[in-house]
Amino acid sequence: MKNGYYMLMNQNTIIEKLSEKNIRPSLQRMAVYGFLVENPIHPTVDTIYQALHPEIPTLSKTTVYNTLKQLVDCGLVQTVTIEDGELRYDADISNHLHFKCIKCGTVFDVFKEITLPENLLPEGFVVSKKQTNIWGTCPNCN
């Protein structure tokens, strides 16, 4: 993965995005955010740590966790809860669905809009975020 996290988004763009959110662009923060942008695989903390630790030996799981919390809190990253006890992360913050293959475990982005019926929620409720997850079998496993 040598400098792989700079392929889709160069280092200057990562620095700019983090700085816009008042996040100091340390090597670790840039690597975590860059990994999420470059690898839209909805990784867990452990997946990110395992991928980046060989190149950044000083990186700890705590740093990855804290960085992800910062990125979520400032709106650069969203969390995806698609299975019990396992939080995943997504740098694509647009509204989209997530599909998890029950055979291979891969989580896919699905860019289809789902319109909720106006009367779905009782009066007074205001939707601020929608997250829809679908489970099934992907084309590769079918």
Side-chain angles (χ1 to χ4, degrees), residues 22-88:
N22 296 316
I23 297 175
R24 189 175 60 80
S26 68
L27 173 67
Q28 290 88 349
R29 290 182 188 119
M30 290 172 53
V32 169
Y33 183 59
F35 181 83
L36 286 169
V37 170
E38 177 65 23
N39 299 281
I41 57 172
H42 311 88
T44 63
V45 169
D46 194 54
T47 303
I48 297 167
Y49 173 76
Q50 294 298 327
L52 297 177
H53 186 258
E55 286 189 35
I56 308 171
T58 58
L59 185 68
S60 69
K61 279 190 185 181
T62 301
T63 299
V64 173
Y65 175 79
N66 290 338
T67 298
L68 290 167
K69 182 173 178 356
Q70 250 187 325
L71 294 171
V72 168
D73 288 349
C74 78
L76 282 175
V77 169
Q78 67 176 324
T79 58
V80 177
T81 307
I82 196 162
E83 56 228 328
D84 293 336
E86 192 164 51
L87 199 56
R88 293 172 175 258

Side-chain angles (χ1 to χ4, degrees), residues 112-133:
K112 297 277 185 176
E113 183 62 35
I114 291 182
T115 306
L116 299 175
E118 284 186 37
N119 62 353
L120 177 69
L121 298 172
E123 189 175 322
F125 286 84
V126 178
V127 175
S128 58
K129 179 182 175 182
K130 294 185 289 185
Q131 189 174 86
T132 303
N133 298 323

Side-chain angles (χ1 to χ4, degrees), residues 11 42 63 93 95 99 111 114 136:
Q11 184 175 3
H42 311 88
T63 299
I93 56 172
N95 283 331
F99 179 94
F111 296 96
I114 291 182

